[in-house]
């Protein structure tokens, strides 16, 4: 994806932050204060790992977490970009290391009826924190949002834990048949970095295996939250104070959506083909390449495609249009002046000059672009999850009506079938 190309330029130039004091991840505009925690329910590689965003109680003194939570994520980006780890760590720490996520870390959950649920899937080379602006906005509007960190080799970096006193085999499977809930101080981190293509390796088989694993990880996250909603005990590997019992009966599991960007967009479609509990999908600038052809007929749920103006190409759009239906709502809009990186948080944290130079910003104000995307997403979810909200005020956006929006696509079909490097 273009993410890699953008960061290559930044690392090569080793430039300082040219942004101003105004740079930062935007907070939520909805009526709810947003809290967040990290949740890992099983310390092994088989467990779920996600960042949970949720409406939280007022009045706490919780700290806002760092946007990039560990230096190992910089190392993962370096491996992804095939650059020296120390150079990337220095450059990106200088550019982005001080930014924090505008959500209250480990804040008490706000029990106020039943919240709809959104599962979010990140793009290639990303990880769970890089779409905080979208997740926080949706949570502020009265949703619980679970941003999955994928362990299929498509994240730049992620991790699980090993027991300090035991060995773990190559794929991270414990030699024991039971996985005890161990104290945090008895565990050590095991990092997984981006899995590159081998010399001469055909890309599709790898990406197809990955997209299916990603879908299973999204479904596993849904099942975990289902258990939490039922009041079943949950062990979080991380030593936080968050009281999961307050989430009992707090989720409306008849109103569940799935969202994702780029590779995460393909993950949305695959997940919809596998799990009927997802009521609809919102697909942000999808990379359709990983999906096999027989997936399309298996998807029976409404989908909203929100595309950038500068990323898409004919073959990719034609794959999206295979999902067109006369009976199931399938909508597509394009936001003018946007690029592929108008959806992740980098677009808010880079000054205009560097942002345009490295394709982290389009010509549109990134706050306007994400506002359009978020409002269209909320309106679509209200319509197809049956929410009793006022998001229907933004229904025209779904049909491509309004400033900065193109109904459908700006790509003229048919065009060349060549696919850009992701």
């Amino acid at each position: 994806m273009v993410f890699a190309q953008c960061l290559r330029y930044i690392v090569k130039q080793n430039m300082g932050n040219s942004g101003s004091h105004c740079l930062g991840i935007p907070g939520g505009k909805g009526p709810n204060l947003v809290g967040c925690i990290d949740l890992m329910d099983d310390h092994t590689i088989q467990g779920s790992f996600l960042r949970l965003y949720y409406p939280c109680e007022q009045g706490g003194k919780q700290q806002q977490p760092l946007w990039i939570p560990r230096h190992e994520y910089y190392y993962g980006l370096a491996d992804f970009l095939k650059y020296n780890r120390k150079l990337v760590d220095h450059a990106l720490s200088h550019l982005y290391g001080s930014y924090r996520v505008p959500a209250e870390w480990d804040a008490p959950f706000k029990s106020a009826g039943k919240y709809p649920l959104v599962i979010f899937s990140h793009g290639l080379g990303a990880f769970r924190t890089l779409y905080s602006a979208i997740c926080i906005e949706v949570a502020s509007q009265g949703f619980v949002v679970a941003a999955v960190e994928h362990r299929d080799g498509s994240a730049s970096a992620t991790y699980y834990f090993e027991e300090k006193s035991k060995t773990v085999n190559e794929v991270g499977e414990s030699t024991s048949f039971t996985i005890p809930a161990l104290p945090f101080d008895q565990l050590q981190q095991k990092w997984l970095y981006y899995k590159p293509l081998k010399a001469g390796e055909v890309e599709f088989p790898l990406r197809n295996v990955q997209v299916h694993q990603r879908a299973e990880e999204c479904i596993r996250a849904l099942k975990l939250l289902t258990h939490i909603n039922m009041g079943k005990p949950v062990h979080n590997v991380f030593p936080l104070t968050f009281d999961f019992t307050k989430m009992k009966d707090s989720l409306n599991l008849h109103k569940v959506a799935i969202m994702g960007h780029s590779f995460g967009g393909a993950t949305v479609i695959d997940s919809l083909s596998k799990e009927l509990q997802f009521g609809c999908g919102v697909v942000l600038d999808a990379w359709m390449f990983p999906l096999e052809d027989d997936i399309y007929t298996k998807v029976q749920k409404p989908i909203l495609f929100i595309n950038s103006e500068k990323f898409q190409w004919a073959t990719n759009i034609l794959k999206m249009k295979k999902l067109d239906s006369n009976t199931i709502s399938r909508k597509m809009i394009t936001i003018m002046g946007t690029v592929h990186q108008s959806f992740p948080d980098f677009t808010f944290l880079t000054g205009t000059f560097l942002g345009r130079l490295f394709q982290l910003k389009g010509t549109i104000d990134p706050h306007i672009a994400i506002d359009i995307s978020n409002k269209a997403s909320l309106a679509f979810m209200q319509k197809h999850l049956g929410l009793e909200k006022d998001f229907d005020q933004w229904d025209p956006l779904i049909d491509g009506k309004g400033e900065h929006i193109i109904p459908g696509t700006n790509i003229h079909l048919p065009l060349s079938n060549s696919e850009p490097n992701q």
Side-chain angles (χ1 to χ4, degrees):
M1 90 190 206
V2 178
F3 175 73
Q5 298 169 345
C6 300
L7 285 180
R8 283 193 185 100
Y9 282 120
I10 293 175
V11 173
K12 279 183 177 179
Q13 298 295 323
N14 194 21
M15 301 173 87
N17 192 342
S18 67
S20 71
H21 65 280
C22 295
L23 297 177
I25 299 169
K29 297 181 178 179
N32 296 288
L33 183 67
V34 177
C36 71
I37 59 167
D38 285 338
L39 171 57
M40 189 185 296
D41 69 320
D42 175 347
H43 69 266
T44 73
I45 197 172
Q46 285 79 24
S48 291
F49 186 19
L50 54 89
R51 174 155 290 188
L52 199 66
Y53 302 84
Y54 53 89
C56 71
E57 297 286 358
Q58 300 275 350
K61 297 181 179 180
Q62 286 78 13
Q63 188 177 22
Q64 296 182 339
L66 285 171
W67 180 54
I68 306 294
R70 296 291 302 268
H71 275 276
E72 287 85 350
Y73 288 102
Y74 296 124
Y75 300 157
L77 290 170
D79 291 352
F80 180 52
L81 302 171
K82 300 180 180 179
Y83 276 88
N84 179 273
R85 283 185 172 186
K86 289 185 178 180
L87 173 62
V88 173
D89 185 17
H90 175 76
L92 297 190
S93 294
H94 184 68
L95 283 166
Y96 302 115
S98 64
Y99 288 115
R100 293 186 176 271
V101 173
E104 306 301 302
W105 182 249
D106 200 16
F109 184 81
K110 179 182 177 182
S111 299
K114 288 182 176 289
Y115 298 109
L117 174 64
V118 173
I119 306 295
F120 193 96
S121 175
H122 65 70
L124 188 68
F127 41 91
R128 71 189 186 285
T129 70
L130 296 192
Y131 299 85
S132 295
I134 293 173
C135 295
I136 288 169
E137 172 59 17
V138 173
S140 79
Q141 298 289 349
F143 292 74
V144 170
V145 183
V148 176
E149 187 158 290
H150 291 294
R151 290 167 162 172
D152 61 318
S154 67
S156 60
T158 186
Y159 62 98
Y160 60 97
F161 290 91
E162 296 177 349
E163 186 178 353
K164 289 182 179 179
S165 60
K166 291 186 179 181
T167 61
V168 173
N169 68 23
E170 286 185 345
V171 295
E173 296 173 336
S174 171
T175 55
S176 171
F177 288 103
T178 59
I179 306 298
L182 297 172
F184 191 71
D185 61 3
Q186 294 183 25
L187 300 173
Q188 59 187 4
Q189 291 179 349
K190 178 71 173 180
W191 281 86
L192 301 172
Y193 294 105
Y194 176 75
K195 182 179 180 180
L197 284 171
K198 299 176 183 177
E201 183 179 7
V202 178
E203 185 170 17
F204 177 78
L206 171 63
R207 301 305 183 202
N208 183 248
V209 169
Q210 287 178 324
V211 78
H212 288 304
Q213 179 175 334
R214 286 165 142 264
E216 292 303 326
E217 288 170 342
C218 289
I219 294 167
R220 192 183 308 150
L222 172 59
K223 300 306 181 188
L224 171 60
L225 288 160
T226 299
H227 290 161
I228 291 172
N229 190 63
M230 294 169 65
K232 293 185 177 181
V234 58
H235 171 70
N236 190 4
V237 171
F238 303 108
L240 302 175
T241 62
F242 187 82
D243 184 3
F244 284 97
T245 64
K246 292 188 70 175
M247 292 187 69
K248 183 180 180 181
D249 296 324
S250 67
L251 300 177
N252 190 333
L253 296 173
H254 298 291
K255 302 181 187 299
V256 182
I258 182 166
M259 298 179 67
H261 173 245
S262 194
F263 203 170
T267 306
V268 168
I269 293 165
D270 195 35
S271 300
L272 291 174
S273 77
K274 291 179 165 70
E275 177 53 64
L276 296 178
Q277 196 171 348
F278 291 123
C280 65
V282 178
V283 176
L284 307 175
D285 223 16
W287 179 40
M288 302 292 286
F289 173 78
L291 297 169
E292 66 267 36
D293 287 341
D294 63 0
I295 285 289
Y296 301 104
T297 58
K298 298 176 183 177
V299 181
Q300 301 298 313
K301 295 300 175 72
I303 300 173
L304 172 63
F305 291 97
I306 303 178
N307 293 335
S308 71
E309 185 179 7
K310 298 299 184 181
F311 175 72
Q312 293 297 331
W313 65 102
T315 302
N316 211 49
I317 294 292
L318 289 171
K319 289 179 179 178
M320 294 180 194
K321 292 184 72 63
K322 288 183 179 181
L323 288 157
D324 285 352
S325 171
N326 293 324
T327 58
I328 304 170
S329 179
R330 303 284 162 75
K331 297 286 189 176
M332 182 186 297
I333 62 173
T334 300
I335 303 176
M336 298 170 64
T338 51
V339 295
H340 196 48
Q341 294 305 311
S342 293
F343 298 95
D345 298 331
F346 280 104
T347 194
F348 304 108
L349 305 179
T350 311
T352 300
F353 176 74
L354 283 180
R356 298 221 180 139
L357 180 63
F358 305 144
Q359 301 178 57
L360 296 172
K361 290 180 184 287
T363 56
I364 189 174
D365 182 327
H367 295 84
I368 293 174
I370 209 68
D371 192 52
I372 293 169
S373 178
N374 288 335
K375 287 177 176 177
S377 300
L378 291 165
F380 191 79
M381 288 190 286
Q382 171 162 329
K383 183 181 294 289
H384 296 290
L385 298 181
L387 306 179
E388 295 181 0
K389 301 280 189 177
D390 63 352
F391 306 149
D392 54 353
Q393 65 182 298
W394 302 313
D395 279 352
L397 298 178
I398 300 172
D399 294 316
K401 298 176 181 178
E403 191 177 7
H404 309 297
I405 307 177
I406 299 169
T409 180
N410 60 312
I411 301 298
H412 298 287
L413 304 174
L415 292 175
S416 170
N417 288 334
S418 60
E419 300 203 17
N421 182 19
Q422 297 303 302

